Amino acid sequence: MTNADFEALARVILGRIFIPLEASGRHVHVTQAQAKILFGHGLTSKRPLSQPGQYLANERLTIIGPKGKLDNVAVLGPERKEAQVEISLTDGRSLGLTPPIRPSGEVSNSPGCILAGPQGQVAVQKGVIAAQRHIHITPEDAARLKVSDKQIVKFQVYTARPLIFEDVLVRVSPNFATFAHLDYDEANACGFREGDLGRILT
Amino acid sequence: MTNADFEALARVILGRIFIPLEASGRHVHVTQAQAKILFGHGLTSKRPLSQPGQYLANERLTIIGPKGKLDNVAVLGPERKEAQVEISLTDGRSLGLTPPIRPSGEVSNSPGCILAGPQGQVAVQKGVIAAQRHIHITPEDAARLKVSDKQIVKFQVYTARPLIFEDVLVRVSPNFATFAHLDYDEANACGFREGDLGRILT
C-alpha cells in the first residue's frame, strides 16, 4: 500500500469510530413571506452547508431584542414553514432574552424578537431558542454506532479543553450527513478547532 | 429533629459530596503601580468574593485589543505582583486576541493588551489568558475527596445542560474556600445557574 492508501484507510477507520464536530454560529431561519419583507426577494445561496440541501444565504439580518441587537446575522436556507432564531445563551444576555434549550423545530413558549433586513422588519412572536446540542447521523452510521433517532447520548470530544457532553440529542435521517453540532458557548467551552472529533459513549 | 435541623444536616451531607459552582466573568488583576496610573489610587473593595481576602473592586476598566474593546470590566483585589487579564475565548474573538488556556499566574508567552481607566492607560505586555477551569479546595475537603494540589480531575456538573468537564485543575490551599470556577463560555455550555453543584469523579 502507498502512503495515500494508508491515509485513506485511516480516514475510513476514523470515520467509523469518531464523529466530526461543527460549531453553529447564531443564525436565523425565515419563511418565504418573511424573506420577501426582509430582503425584497427569496433567499439566495452563498455556499452549501454540511447538511445536504441546506445553505448559508447571501442575505443577512439584524436580531433586535429588548436590551440590544446583533447585527449581520447569518440566514440559513431554504426557507422554512416557521421562523426560528438560534442563538447562544451569551447572545441571549446581549439581547435581553432567555432562550430555552430546545431541539430545532420546538418553538412553543419561546420568546420572540424583531428581525430587521435591508427592505423591512418582521416581528417574530416566538422561535428564539438555544439549539440543544445534537448529532446528525445517517441511518447507516446510526446502525453501526447502535443509536436511534431521538436517543440521548453522552458525547466525548477530543479537543483542547476536553469534556463529555451529556444530554446530546441523536437525530437520524437519510437526509443528513453525520456531524455533531455545538453552539459557540459549547465550542469555546471545549476549545473546539476545525477538524476536531468526538465519540458517542455507550 | 426539626425541619431546620434536617435542612442543616442535608446541607452538611451535600457539602461532603458536592462542590458548588461559580461562574467567573471576565476580570483583571493589576499591580499597585498600575492601579495608581489607572485610577489615581489603590483598589477599594466593593464586596468580598468567595475566596477569603479576595474582593471585587469599586474600580472598573476597559480592555483594549487589536480588534475591539470590552468596557466596564471588573477588577479584583487585592493588587498582585503582576497584571493578569482573564477573559473567555468569546471575549478573545471580540478583542482580536487568542488567550491561551492557563492556570492563574502562568502568563509567559501570553498576549498583552491595553488597560484604560478613568485616570490613565497601561500597556500590559503579557497576561491575557483564559483561566483553566479549576476547583479551589481546602486541605480538609481535599483529604476527604482524596485529591491533591495540581491534580487533574473529571468534574461532573448537575446543571440544566449537564456535562462532565475533563482536565479540571485542583488547587488546594488553607486560604481557599471550596468552589469550582468556570468561565462564562463553560457556564453557558452547561446551563449553569446560581446554586448548581458538581462532583469530582474518581
Side-chain angles (χ1 to χ4, degrees), chain B residues 117-141:
Chain B
Q119 297 295 320
Q121 297 200 350
V122 171
V124 176
Q125 298 308 312
K126 62 178 182 188
V128 180
I129 64 171
Q132 184 178 353
R133 45 199 175 223
H134 56 275
I135 307 175
H136 295 269
I137 307 191
T138 62
E140 297 70 31
D141 287 344

Side-chain angles (χ1 to χ4, degrees), chain A residues 88-91 93 98-99 101 130 133 161 163 165 183-191, chain B residues 20-26 87-91 130-134 155 157-165 168 180-197:
Chain A
S88 69
L89 298 186
T90 297
D91 293 337
R93 249 166 227 266
T98 305
I101 313 293
R133 44 199 176 223
R161 301 166 109 177
L163 54 78
F165 289 108
D183 72 17
Y184 265 84
D185 287 336
E186 295 163 336
N188 284 328
C190 73
Chain B
L21 305 179
E22 283 186 330
S24 299
R26 68 183 75 110
I87 61 172
S88 69
L89 298 186
T90 298
D91 293 336
Q132 184 178 353
R133 45 199 175 223
H134 56 275
F155 187 68
V157 297
Y158 300 91
T159 50
R161 302 166 109 176
L163 53 80
I164 299 165
F165 288 108
V168 181
H181 280 176
L182 306 173
D183 71 18
Y184 266 84
D185 287 335
E186 294 163 338
N188 283 328
C190 73
F192 163 78
R193 286 189 208 112
E194 211 174 309
D196 282 341
L197 302 172

Side-chain angles (χ1 to χ4, degrees), chain B:
Chain B
M1 295 212 299
T2 65
N3 275 354
D5 289 337
F6 272 117
E7 207 178 301
L9 181 61
R11 218 175 284 274
V12 168
I13 293 169
L14 279 177
R16 295 200 168 201
I17 301 168
F18 297 102
I19 294 174
L21 305 179
E22 283 186 330
S24 299
R26 68 183 75 110
H27 65 266
V28 177
H29 300 278
V30 296
T31 67
Q32 286 188 328
Q34 289 167 339
K36 195 91 205 308
I37 296 169
L38 292 162
F39 310 112
H41 53 75
L43 299 177
T44 60
S45 173
K46 183 182 168 108
R47 64 173 176 81
L49 299 175
S50 65
Q51 296 307 310
Q54 305 293 302
Y55 61 84
L56 173 68
N58 290 299
E59 293 73 26
R60 301 184 80 90
L61 48 69
T62 297
I63 305 173
I64 304 172
K67 275 201 190 164
K69 66 194 179 80
L70 296 167
D71 287 317
N72 199 32
V73 176
V75 179
L76 303 192
E79 292 88 345
R80 291 196 177 178
K81 288 193 179 152
E82 193 165 30
Q84 186 165 293
V85 177
E86 299 183 39
I87 61 172
S88 69
L89 298 186
T90 298
D91 293 336
R93 251 165 226 267
S94 318
L95 293 170
L97 293 170
T98 304
I101 313 293
R102 292 282 178 78
S104 183
E106 294 192 9
V107 297
S108 61
N109 293 316
S110 59
C113 68
I114 291 170
L115 301 177
Q119 297 295 320
Q121 297 200 350
V122 171
V124 176
Q125 298 308 312
K126 62 178 182 188
V128 180
I129 64 171
Q132 184 178 353
R133 45 199 175 223
H134 56 275
I135 307 175
H136 295 269
I137 307 191
T138 62
E140 297 70 31
D141 287 344
R144 201 184 53 250
L145 294 167
K146 296 187 173 50
V147 292
S148 54
D149 192 44
K150 294 189 181 152
Q151 192 177 335
I152 301 293
V153 298
K154 293 188 189 193
F155 187 68
Q156 178 154 29
V157 297
Y158 300 91
T159 50
R161 302 166 109 176
L163 53 80
I164 299 165
F165 288 108
E166 303 188 83
D167 278 8
V168 181
L169 177 67
V170 169
R171 297 175 56 200
V172 181
S173 163
N175 300 323
F176 289 158
T178 298
F179 278 95
H181 280 176
L182 306 173
D183 71 18
Y184 266 84
D185 287 335
E186 294 163 338
N188 283 328
C190 73
F192 163 78
R193 286 189 208 112
E194 211 174 309
D196 282 341
L197 302 172
R199 191 167 65 90
I200 292 176
L201 301 185
T202 47

Side-chain angles (χ1 to χ4, degrees), chain A residues 82-200:
Chain A
E82 194 164 31
Q84 186 166 295
V85 177
E86 298 181 40
I87 61 173
S88 69
L89 298 186
T90 297
D91 293 337
R93 249 166 227 266
S94 317
L95 293 171
L97 293 171
T98 305
I101 313 293
R102 291 282 179 78
S104 184
E106 294 192 10
V107 297
S108 62
N109 294 316
S110 59
C113 68
I114 291 170
L115 302 177
Q119 297 295 320
Q121 296 198 352
V122 170
V124 176
Q125 298 308 313
K126 61 179 181 186
V128 180
I129 63 170
Q132 184 178 354
R133 44 199 176 223
H134 56 275
I135 307 175
H136 294 269
I137 307 192
T138 63
E140 297 72 30
D141 287 343
R144 200 184 53 249
L145 294 167
K146 297 186 173 48
V147 292
S148 54
D149 193 42
K150 295 188 179 151
Q151 192 176 336
I152 300 292
V153 299
K154 293 190 189 192
F155 188 66
Q156 177 154 29
V157 296
Y158 300 91
T159 49
R161 301 166 109 177
L163 54 78
I164 299 166
F165 289 108
E166 302 188 83
D167 278 8
V168 181
L169 176 67
V170 169
R171 297 174 57 198
V172 181
S173 164
N175 300 323
F176 288 158
T178 299
F179 278 95
H181 280 176
L182 306 174
D183 72 17
Y184 265 84
D185 287 336
E186 295 163 336
N188 284 328
C190 73
F192 164 77
R193 287 189 207 110
E194 212 177 308
D196 282 341
L197 301 173
R199 190 166 66 89
I200 292 176

